[in-house]
Amino acid sequence: MYVLVLWLPLVSAIISGLWGRKIGTRGAGRLTSTCIILCWGVSCIILYEVCLNGAATYIQLWKWFDFELLTVSFGLQIDVISSVMLIVVTSVSLLVHIYSTGYMKGDPHVPRFMAYLSLFTFLMIVLVTSDNYLQLFIGWEGVGVCSYLLINFWLTRIRANRAAMKAMLVNRMGDIGVVLAMLLMYREFGTLDFSTLSGLSGTDAPHMTAICLLLLMGAVGKSAQLGLHTWLPDAMEGPTPVSALIHAATMVTAGVYLIIRSGPLFEKSPMALTVVTIIGALTAFFAATTGVVQNDLKKVVAYSTCSQLGYMVMVCGISGYSTSLFHLMNHAFFKALLFLSAGSAIHAIGDEQDMRKMGGLLRAIPITYVSILIGSMSLMGFPYLTGFYSKDLILELIYGRYYIAFAYWLGSVSALLTAFYSMRLVYLTFMTETNARQGSWDNVRESSRAITVPLCILALGSIFVGYIGKEFVLSNVMSPIVANGVKMIPLLFSLLGGSLALFLYVVVAPRGTIWLQGLPIYPFFNSAWQFNHVVNHYVIKNVFKFGHKVTYKVIDRGLLEIVGPEGVSKICIRLSQKISNLQSGLIFHYALTMISFVVGFLYATA
Amino acid sequence: MAALTHTQNVTRLYRKSLKHLLSWAIDRRLWRRQALELRDRFDANKDVDHSIALKLLQEGEAEFERRKHPDPYISPEAPEGTKWERNLPPPPHVLEMTPDEQKWYDDVIKYGKK
């Protein structure tokens, strides 16, 4: 039964991908959705057995390769972390599959789309159920490839091509870190198994900090943390269900999963943990400031994802792995809801994504409005909604570590900004007078059931998952004891942020002042702190120059050519010419040579 | 391409200023008031001497550069828009099509010609 969770999505991907024309659009939708429903059912049973009955399971499927120095098997390790990840992946994937049957209606390539989604689900399951780093790396790279294929789904769009290549290349930077970390782990410990490594990590390995920092590099790339985050906003080029499944709920959390899974290693390196906290806190703050001034509905949610991933990484830095996993689970539900609701609104208003051309949708699409409102409030950490249970706990745990107070304050200010952009999103999209074009507005209506049913289910998840999940994910986490005033700070900041957004857009803006126009900070935040410009201008340009002048011209076409093929051939030609000159055909030349050698020989032996 | 006339330069500056102003204002009623003020500024200088007009144009371009929106609104169907180039039909000589694809292709071409 456990193996079924792995094979069902693969089977549906193969059938839908290879025989998509035979089974048709509707057939592909039904087949893939049915397989994922079964997969979700198995995940529920696994969750029950592992989390509630405490029966962690290890299955060795086959020996992958075995030579004297390293043995790697292909196996499933299903513990609490894996089972929670499994339920997250399959739940969101199931709802996204169903949603896609409605959202992608009319697109000529639906079977291909459904095949990619299923293939992604399979590889994500490989990633979260693997029992060693090498197997995890297959899933890690596989989801990267699927992300590339899905961002580039509308492959005739140049912008989609660019975004997909950017995602692929930036992720490769992080992947190099994972590969190097695996090599170091193999050198230090001689194994790549999670269970063996967690046992061996008690020994003092000299390169533990390097291993952890390299693993962190991989996580930074995959989870879009500050420095390698630039691919995530651009990845919104893909269809909205892709954004919900891959770039909000599952693939981007793979980096966080890697840190959680490597927890025993990170615990041996306090320096790496501090770096993890710093990167997480900075990402949370940076992404929140950028999200405040975005106008594209999907980009607001994308930066919000980046910010929340920052929270997850930040809490890993203070060894709060369970809390991070809990926030990961909660975030998957409310962020998938936000993305899918955004997709529903975009779909309703003629594929318009700019919030400046929306507004007034409250009465036209009430189910979508309620969904996005619940998702936003859960994201803001509104009391007793899903986000509240993990976000507040993260900030309280961070507050308990006095030596990283900056992380607490960055996290709290990010909470304020999160509330600001959430309320701004809701106001501009639904509450203000419409600014939509006549042609778009005339056709606005609520989406089909294939779209609204997943929204309703995710809305329920965004309300209750936090309350239910804390019982089994946080069973070993002691809530820190902090003063009531401190406990209230994140909530007060959230309320302040939400109120400020409403005040600015409801009260200040209609009085005839374009208050943003004069602010020099607006272009800075809007362009994501000029990160793309800085990276392109100072890093990529110099790397290209170095690549062309040094790597290509000096090394490849210079040194290696001289020492390598060209040099060898030239030497051979010269040598052969000289040797051929010796054969002159004149008897006294040969006699002279013979005499010289004989004299030399006699002299040497004398 | 021939150089633009002064009138063309001024009308283009006016047009793009209006567009960027709408990107800032969002609300059309708010934009309307600002747009009228902008129109007044252009009208006030419409009969000035050519040398002064050139200087004013330069100043206007500089002001536009200072105050333009960093992320102006782009219609989904326009170049660089979110629907631009989505599912472009392939050129017919590239692919041998099945009857279903042929039907889809014909539909798309028919839709595009409307």
Side-chain angles (χ1 to χ4, degrees):
Chain A
M1 185 192 71
Y2 280 62
V3 184
L4 270 182
V5 81
L6 205 60
W7 297 129
L8 281 168
L10 181 64
V11 168
S12 74
I14 290 171
I15 296 175
S16 183
L18 297 182
W19 293 282
R21 287 189 190 185
K22 297 272 180 204
I23 58 177
T25 301
R26 195 175 285 180
R30 284 182 182 171
L31 174 83
T32 51
S33 301
T34 309
C35 284
I36 304 295
I37 288 172
L38 294 172
C39 190
W40 175 78
V42 177
S43 301
C44 288
I45 297 169
I46 290 173
L47 186 77
Y48 171 75
E49 289 194 351
V50 175
C51 280
L52 300 181
N53 293 341
T57 308
Y58 178 84
I59 303 167
Q60 190 173 355
L61 293 175
W62 61 80
K63 202 164 266 184
W64 187 5
F65 57 83
D66 180 13
F67 55 96
E68 289 296 315
L69 299 170
L70 181 68
T71 305
V72 178
S73 59
F74 208 95
L76 304 179
Q77 179 179 319
I78 300 177
D79 52 11
V80 175
I81 304 172
S82 295
S83 58
V84 170
M85 287 299 289
L86 263 181
I87 202 77
V88 167
V89 170
T90 52
S91 303
V92 177
S93 177
L94 162 64
L95 294 170
V96 166
H97 270 77
I98 296 169
Y99 180 93
S100 300
T101 58
Y103 189 85
M104 299 301 285
K105 205 172 184 180
D107 194 282
H109 307 293
V110 173
R112 176 162 63 90
F113 183 75
M114 302 308 280
Y116 287 165
L117 284 185
S118 291
L119 184 65
F120 169 80
T121 310
F122 162 70
L123 289 162
M124 195 67 207
I125 292 172
V126 169
L127 195 155
V128 300
T129 56
S130 59
D131 66 344
N132 62 69
Y133 279 99
L134 209 55
Q135 190 183 327
L136 177 143
F137 195 65
I138 295 175
W140 185 274
E141 288 298 310
V143 292
V145 171
C146 287
S147 168
Y148 170 84
L149 293 171
L150 284 163
I151 295 168
N152 203 16
F153 178 70
W154 286 312
L155 46 88
T156 48
R157 275 174 62 74
I158 301 293
R159 279 168 71 102
N161 306 156
R162 276 205 304 251
M165 281 193 281
K166 189 175 180 181
M168 194 63 149
L169 291 173
V170 175
N171 269 298
R172 288 297 77 74
M173 297 280 292
D175 297 350
I176 290 167
V178 181
V179 172
L180 292 177
M182 285 197 294
L183 288 172
L184 265 181
M185 270 187 261
Y186 171 65
R187 199 187 122 181
E188 293 294 324
F189 303 110
T191 181
L192 295 173
D193 289 345
F194 294 143
S195 51
T196 319
L197 277 169
S198 62
L200 287 173
S201 61
T203 56
D204 285 330
H207 295 110
M208 195 58 93
T209 302
I211 291 171
C212 293
L213 289 178
L214 287 168
L215 285 173
L216 176 65
M217 190 173 150
V220 165
K222 197 60 101 185
S223 290
Q225 296 297 291
L226 192 64
L228 296 179
H229 67 278
T230 49
W231 67 272
L232 186 59
D234 289 9
M236 297 301 118
E237 274 299 327
T240 310
V242 174
S243 309
L245 177 64
I246 299 182
H247 307 122
T250 53
M251 189 193 81
V252 288
T253 59
V256 181
Y257 171 77
L258 182 72
I259 298 177
I260 295 171
R261 186 51 88 186
S262 311
L265 304 179
F266 274 90
E267 286 307 302
K268 285 287 156 194
S269 173
M271 194 193 122
L273 284 176
T274 311
V275 176
V276 168
T277 313
I278 292 169
I279 287 181
L282 286 175
T283 307
F285 178 70
F286 152 79
T289 54
T290 309
V292 163
V293 290
Q294 294 302 309
N295 296 304
D296 187 305
L297 182 55
K298 283 174 73 179
K299 280 199 176 168
V300 176
V301 189
Y303 277 108
S304 160
T305 303
C306 205
S307 181
Q308 297 303 309
L309 289 166
Y311 276 106
M312 292 173 214
V313 171
M314 181 169 73
V315 78
C316 282
I318 55 159
S319 310
Y321 304 108
S322 302
T323 315
S324 180
L325 183 68
F326 185 45
H327 193 55
L328 187 158
M329 181 175 79
N330 294 348
H331 172 261
F333 283 93
F334 61 71
K335 195 48 66 69
L337 174 66
L338 275 173
F339 261 119
L340 295 186
S341 311
S344 177
I346 291 166
H347 200 57
I349 200 160
D351 291 320
E352 179 64 76
Q353 284 185 205
D354 200 311
M355 292 191 296
R356 290 170 295 192
K357 293 292 172 189
M358 292 187 175
L361 294 173
L362 196 154
R363 292 201 183 102
I365 46 173
I367 298 176
T368 306
Y369 166 68
V370 171
S371 305
I372 222 163
L373 188 67
I374 291 172
S376 297
M377 293 183 84
S378 193
L379 168 69
M380 287 157 60
F382 194 81
Y384 310 112
L385 295 185
T386 290
F388 168 75
Y389 292 99
S390 50
K391 200 172 171 182
D392 266 32
L393 183 61
I394 288 173
L395 291 172
E396 284 170 20
L397 285 169
I398 292 278
Y399 182 79
R401 304 298 172 99
Y402 62 92
Y403 59 91
I404 40 175
F406 81 96
Y408 174 75
W409 287 109
L410 283 182
S412 298
V413 174
S414 303
L416 183 146
L417 297 171
T418 303
F420 184 95
Y421 63 64
S422 298
M423 284 317 293
R424 175 176 176 264
L425 183 151
V426 172
Y427 179 77
L428 287 180
T429 312
F430 293 97
M431 293 159 83
T432 183
E433 291 288 322
T434 186
N435 295 304
R437 294 173 301 164
Q438 179 80 44
S440 310
W441 183 253
D442 287 344
N443 299 318
V444 172
R445 60 179 183 279
E446 192 60 270
S447 306
S448 63
R449 273 189 201 164
I451 291 178
T452 51
V453 169
L455 293 188
C456 295
I457 296 170
L458 281 170
L460 289 174
S462 300
I463 297 171
F464 296 115
V465 162
Y467 178 72
I468 299 166
K470 72 179 166 56
E471 297 303 330
F472 54 87
V473 182
L474 291 182
S475 54
N476 61 342
V477 176
M478 287 285 283
S479 218
I481 300 166
V482 291
N484 278 342
V486 175
K487 262 183 180 296
M488 294 295 282
I489 286 177
L491 178 63
L492 290 175
F493 271 39
S494 292
L495 289 175
L496 182 66
S499 312
L500 188 65
L502 288 177
F503 174 73
L504 287 175
Y505 281 94
V506 178
V507 179
V508 178
R511 295 197 174 176
T513 49
I514 302 175
W515 51 278
L516 281 171
Q517 201 174 3
L519 293 177
I521 204 80
Y522 184 92
F524 178 70
F525 283 157
N526 187 270
S527 58
W529 294 21
Q530 298 279 356
F531 226 99
N532 273 320
H533 175 73
V534 170
V535 170
N536 287 340
H537 193 74
Y538 293 104
V539 182
I540 306 290
K541 225 174 176 179
N542 290 329
V543 168
F544 275 157
K545 264 188 197 166
F546 180 83
H548 182 69
K549 288 188 175 165
V550 179
T551 316
Y552 176 68
K553 283 173 102 173
V554 176
I555 298 177
D556 271 11
R557 301 289 299 155
L559 207 62
L560 290 178
E561 282 288 331
I562 291 167
V563 179
E566 204 179 315
V568 170
S569 69
K570 274 183 181 170
I571 288 168
C572 286
I573 290 165
R574 272 186 212 155
L575 268 176
S576 59
Q577 276 174 350
K578 281 181 182 173
I579 290 166
S580 68
N581 285 343
L582 290 175
Q583 198 177 8
S584 59
L586 299 172
I587 192 78
F588 59 87
H589 281 173
Y590 301 145
L592 180 68
T593 311
M594 283 174 70
I595 289 165
S596 306
F597 269 98
V598 169
V599 170
F601 179 72
L602 289 174
Y603 181 75
T605 51
Chain B
M1 202 172 99
L4 297 175
T5 64
H6 177 72
T7 315
Q8 281 175 319
N9 279 324
V10 173
T11 47
R12 283 182 188 201
L13 175 65
Y14 177 60
R15 186 178 157 81
K16 66 187 179 185
S17 300
L18 279 180
K19 283 189 171 182
H20 279 250
L21 198 58
L22 183 57
S23 291
W24 280 114
I26 304 175
D27 187 280
R28 283 193 89 85
R29 287 165 301 181
L30 175 58
W31 171 77
R32 175 78 180 146
R33 284 202 292 273
Q34 304 278 337
L36 288 174
E37 285 172 19
L38 182 73
R39 178 73 192 210
D40 287 344
R41 286 181 68 190
F42 273 83
D43 283 345
N45 297 309
K46 79 176 171 187
D47 296 323
V48 295
D49 191 59
H50 187 63
S51 58
I52 300 170
L54 281 175
K55 196 181 161 214
L56 284 171
L57 180 64
Q58 277 180 350
E59 284 172 8
E61 291 284 1
E63 187 181 340
F64 173 76
E65 283 302 316
R66 265 199 326 276
R67 304 183 68 173
K68 71 179 179 187
H69 199 285
D71 175 26
Y73 171 72
I74 300 170
S75 172
E77 291 87 4
E80 296 289 300
T82 50
K83 272 180 95 173
W84 176 248
E85 294 177 326
R86 193 185 285 183
N87 286 331
L88 282 181
H93 63 275
V94 172
L95 294 171
E96 234 177 65
M97 288 187 254
T98 62
D100 282 352
E101 285 171 339
Q102 186 67 52
K103 186 172 171 298
W104 169 79
Y105 178 77
D106 293 341
D107 287 346
V108 171
I109 294 292
K110 201 173 151 191
Y111 180 78
K113 283 180 180 169
K114 270 183 188 175

